[in-house]
């Protein structure tokens, strides 16, 4: 194997592929990037067996790829990225000598690295699943930013660590929940689909880190895996087994009171009290009436606070309830709007948080019983 390529272009592609590689891989081959030169192009593959990334580089003006001899090799991703990033040159040359010894050359010198023969790399099935739909990169980014934060970070219920993609006809409902809160984003698809899958939130995060805003992403899915295809790159992830909870039943269909509040004011009010915690949990008490709305916190060990929201329009029944302030703040930030609509369905019933100008996204918080 012997080729030369533009250093910066090569580094950008290596960076994408390396996102699938785990530093704690029990299989030595999976700690490296598999470089395969065949049929006049280069294929880069990285995987941790749960998420796999493959990108194809075809010779062109942007990459200056020149293939002198085809072949394949596995190179440790950490060392390869470090060398390519720090070399001070425009083009680099990589050659396999003596079966598994890799020589990386620049204008000023060279590095010799021990590689691994490519036949030790596991066989990864990149065949396309049958369900297919298309999303703009900006659309996928909004889905992930407005749902993934609500997923669980604990492994007791693995299905809650992912975002559920439930397609019914032309509508795609994307939901993240840890059983104490829910974030849902609704997208209209370009075609009618029928599937219900849960994609690990970590995999989705890697996808949105790899795409550009002007990319169009082809998404393929079946009962075992999902693929995100863009710019000659495939990001493939295993799905999470298990039945995602029926979150539709916890979404309130009516409210007894609601308030329209300046998002900057309420976010600042909650954030200022973040240090006042009970057993490491940031609890806030909302005391709402048509006269005024208070945001209160209390801790027997630390102290208390009481602030009135001045940019708030409230209507309906007076209500007083406690919720997780961190969850409320996360929801407000994810909505990313100037004004937030908060709807109360009753005492100790779910709270709905939404953007009054965008019906496609909503947040649900479960109140907490307080005894103060």
């Amino acid at each position: 194997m012997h080729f030369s390529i533009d250093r910066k272009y090569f580094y950008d592609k290596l960076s994408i592929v390396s996102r699938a590689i785990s530093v704690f891989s029990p299989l030595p081959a999976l700690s490296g990037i598999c470089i395969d030169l065949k049929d006049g192009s280069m294929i880069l593959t990285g995987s941790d067996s749960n998420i796999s990334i493959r990108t194809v580089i075809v010779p062109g003006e942007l990459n200056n790829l020149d293939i002198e001899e085809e072949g394949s090799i596995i190179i440790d991703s950490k060392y390869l990225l470090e060398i390519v990033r720090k070399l001070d040159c425009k083009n680099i040359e990589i050659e396999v000598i003596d079966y598994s010894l890799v020589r990386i050359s620049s204008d000023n010198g060279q590095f010799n690295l021990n590689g691994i023969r490519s036949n030790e790399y596991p066989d990864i099935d990149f065949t396309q699943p049958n369900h297919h739909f298309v999303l703009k990169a900006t659309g996928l980014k909004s889905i992930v930013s407005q749902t993934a934060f609500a997923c669980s970070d604990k492994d007791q219920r693995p299905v809650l660590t992912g975002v559920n993609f439930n397609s019914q006809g032309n509508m795609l409902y994307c939901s993240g929940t840890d059983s104490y809160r829910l974030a849902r984003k609704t997208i209209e698809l370009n075609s009618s689909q029928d599937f219900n899958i849960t994609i690990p939130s970590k995999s989705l995060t890697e996808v949105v880190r790899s795409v550009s805003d002007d990319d169009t992403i082809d998404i393929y899915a079946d009962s075992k895996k999902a693929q995100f295809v863009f710019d000659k790159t495939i990001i493939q992830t295993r799905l999470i087994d298990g039945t995602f909870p029926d979150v539709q039943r916890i979404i309130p269909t009516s409210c007894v009171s609601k308030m329209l509040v300046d998002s900057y004011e309420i976010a600042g009010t909650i954030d200022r009290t973040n240090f006042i915690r009970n057993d490491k949990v940031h609890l806030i008490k909302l005391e709402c009436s048509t006269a005024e709305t208070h945001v209160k916190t209390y801790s027997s060990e630390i102290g208390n606070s009481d602030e009135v929201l001045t940019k708030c329009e409230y209507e309906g029944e007076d209500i007083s309830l406690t919720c997780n302030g961190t969850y409320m703040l996360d929801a407000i930030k994810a909505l990313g709007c100037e004004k937030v609509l908060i709807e109360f369905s009753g005492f100790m019933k779910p709270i709905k948080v939404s953007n009054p100008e965008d019906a496609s996204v909503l947040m649900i918080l479960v109140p907490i019983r307080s005894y103060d």
Side-chain angles (χ1 to χ4, degrees):
M1 186 185 83
H2 189 187
F3 69 93
S4 61
I5 192 170
D6 180 88
R7 182 194 64 82
K8 186 179 184 307
Y9 185 95
F10 190 46
Y11 178 77
D12 291 341
K13 295 299 182 180
L14 290 175
S15 297
I16 292 175
V17 171
S18 68
R19 288 172 182 151
I21 298 173
S22 171
V23 294
F24 305 108
S25 175
L27 192 64
L30 288 182
S31 66
I33 293 174
C34 182
I35 303 175
D36 188 13
L37 301 179
K38 64 180 181 180
D39 301 328
S41 62
M42 178 191 297
I43 302 172
L44 304 176
T45 307
S47 177
D48 68 357
S49 74
N50 289 315
I51 181 172
S52 304
I53 302 178
R54 171 172 289 182
T55 190
V56 178
I57 301 176
V58 178
E61 292 183 4
L62 292 176
N63 54 52
N64 292 328
L65 175 60
D66 181 22
I67 299 174
E68 294 190 22
E69 182 182 351
E70 295 187 344
S72 57
I73 194 69
I74 302 167
I75 307 176
D76 188 288
S77 63
K78 177 182 177 182
Y79 304 138
L80 179 59
L81 279 163
E82 188 81 355
I83 291 171
V84 175
R85 180 174 68 88
K86 291 184 176 180
L87 280 174
D88 186 15
C89 60
K90 179 172 176 53
N91 291 337
I92 61 172
E93 184 177 350
I94 297 180
E95 180 182 7
V96 175
I97 55 178
D98 194 21
Y99 298 105
S100 61
L101 184 64
V102 182
R103 176 168 294 164
I104 304 174
S105 307
S106 68
D107 297 336
N108 302 322
Q110 64 185 27
F111 291 83
N112 291 328
L113 287 180
N114 292 319
I116 302 175
R117 294 189 181 188
S118 60
N119 58 11
E120 296 187 31
Y121 205 77
D123 185 26
I124 301 172
D125 181 13
F126 280 98
T127 57
Q128 281 184 353
N130 52 355
H131 293 291
H132 172 238
F133 59 98
V134 178
L135 288 178
K136 293 288 188 181
T138 50
L140 183 63
K141 287 183 177 182
S142 68
I143 289 173
V144 176
S145 66
Q146 293 178 330
T147 61
F149 74 92
C151 296
S152 175
D153 57 1
K154 299 177 175 60
D155 293 330
Q156 284 87 341
R157 294 182 64 186
V159 74
L160 298 185
T161 62
V163 177
N164 180 251
F165 284 64
N166 185 1
S167 176
Q168 301 173 16
N170 282 70
M171 302 308 296
L172 176 64
Y173 300 94
C174 307
S175 307
T177 181
D178 59 5
S179 76
Y180 300 104
R181 56 178 169 174
L182 165 68
R184 168 173 277 196
K185 176 76 172 180
T186 304
I187 295 284
E188 186 172 357
L189 298 178
N190 59 328
S191 61
S192 181
Q193 299 287 338
D194 182 18
F195 59 85
N196 189 347
I197 60 175
T198 304
I199 303 175
S201 60
K202 291 181 180 179
S203 299
L204 290 170
T205 300
E206 295 304 335
V207 174
V208 299
R209 287 178 60 199
S210 303
V211 299
S212 302
D213 286 346
D214 55 353
D215 282 335
T216 297
I217 306 171
D218 287 280
I219 302 176
Y220 300 85
D222 58 21
S223 60
K224 295 296 183 183
K225 66 183 181 182
Q227 284 184 356
F228 300 83
V229 183
F230 59 95
D231 191 27
K232 292 185 169 49
T233 297
I234 300 174
I235 300 182
Q236 177 172 289
T237 176
R238 288 184 179 179
L239 303 181
I240 301 176
D241 293 330
T243 303
F244 198 80
D246 180 14
V247 295
Q248 184 64 40
R249 60 186 178 82
I250 70 168
I251 299 176
T253 55
S254 61
C255 67
V256 298
S257 56
K258 59 185 177 182
M259 67 176 177
L260 186 65
V261 61
D262 181 88
S263 61
Y264 181 80
E265 181 186 27
I266 190 171
T269 301
I270 296 171
D271 189 45
R272 277 192 292 274
T273 65
N274 185 48
F275 69 95
I276 304 177
R277 295 181 169 234
N278 292 275
D279 296 327
K280 298 182 180 180
V281 179
H282 180 208
L283 299 179
I284 61 170
K285 187 173 185 179
L286 300 173
E287 292 185 353
C288 309
S289 68
T290 52
E292 58 186 12
T293 296
H294 290 255
V295 179
K296 296 182 176 182
T297 60
Y298 172 80
S299 169
S300 58
E301 294 181 356
I302 301 172
N304 62 79
S305 70
D306 182 355
E307 289 195 52
V308 176
L309 298 177
T310 59
K311 300 176 182 178
C312 175
E313 302 172 21
Y314 186 84
E315 61 180 67
E317 300 177 6
D318 293 355
I319 198 165
S320 177
L321 49 77
T322 300
C323 67
N324 188 309
T326 302
Y327 290 177
M328 177 67 80
L329 189 59
D330 286 345
I332 293 169
K333 287 180 178 179
L335 288 172
C337 50
E338 292 184 3
K339 290 186 178 296
V340 174
L341 179 64
I342 302 177
E343 299 174 80
F344 304 98
S345 52
F347 179 70
M348 290 307 297
K349 292 184 178 180
I351 306 166
K352 181 179 177 182
V353 186
S354 61
N355 179 352
E357 298 180 355
D358 183 4
S360 71
V361 60
L362 63 86
M363 313 289 173
I364 304 295
L365 304 180
V366 178
I368 298 171
R369 190 176 298 278
S370 72
Y371 299 95
D372 50 55

